[in-house]
Amino acid sequence: MNLKKYIEMKNLILTLIVSFLAINVNAQSSFKVTYEYNKFIHLKETVFSVATVENHTKLGGVIKSSLLFINTLTGDAKEIEFADGARLGIIQQVKLDNLDINLVLVVANTVSLDNKKDIDWRDPRQIFLFSPNGDNMKQLTEDNYYVTSWTINEFTGTLIVSGYFDKNRNRKRDKDEHNEILLFDIKTGTLKKSI
């Protein structure tokens, strides 16, 4: 090989290496985490507000979600973290004065049912109850129960949940997996009955 071709080949290889390194560094910087606070909810007749905190990559993927309970009088905050990739959905205050109930209800995807992949839309949603300050948390539905709908009977303080148990945890609804209605006492966070 003559000297001129050797130098051209060497320059080409160096150019490719430098280009690869530049692309690699740029790709890594796109995975930097940004924090977004959104869905602020004031909890009526309390000093507390709740915010969702989502950690995103620059490419838009959710890395982690958590709840931030803020004492607006003192400025103290308590963060409740969920599993990596969890997606928070509905967050609402359940305030029933006649039954002395004041809680935060959260519906979220927090579990990868097959333990093989990230949490996604094929995984079940769970229902949680929190005290207004975030100190007490109770998961009502089991990890393998797919919540399809729910409502609250404000007269009895009962949470009525419709869905089904994925018995074999294959993230599919099989023929033997039928709808079940679960009745929860919101005040105690206990299952009253399964229908």
Side-chain angles (χ1 to χ4, degrees), residues 20-85:
F20 175 75
L21 290 173
I23 289 169
N24 191 26
V25 167
N26 189 31
Q28 286 181 5
S29 69
S30 67
F31 288 107
K32 289 183 181 174
V33 177
T34 59
Y35 299 91
E36 293 182 10
Y37 297 92
N38 51 25
K39 292 186 184 175
F40 280 97
I41 299 167
H42 167 68
L43 302 179
K44 295 177 183 172
E45 298 181 28
T46 75
V47 297
F48 296 98
S49 290
V50 180
T52 59
V53 183
E54 292 181 346
N55 302 345
H56 294 270
T57 64
K58 282 188 177 179
L59 299 176
V62 175
I63 297 173
K64 196 166 205 55
S65 294
S66 56
L67 290 174
L68 188 66
F69 289 82
I70 304 165
N71 182 325
T72 60
L73 189 63
T74 65
D76 293 336
K78 179 180 182 87
E79 187 169 1
I80 309 295
E81 292 185 359
F82 292 92
D84 289 350

Side-chain angles (χ1 to χ4, degrees), residues 113-131:
L113 197 58
D114 61 2
N115 293 320
K116 295 179 184 173
K117 302 179 182 195
D118 294 334
I119 300 168
D120 63 27
W121 62 271
R122 294 183 304 159
D123 288 306
R125 295 183 294 174
Q126 294 79 44
I127 297 179
F128 299 87
L129 291 177
F130 291 88
S131 59

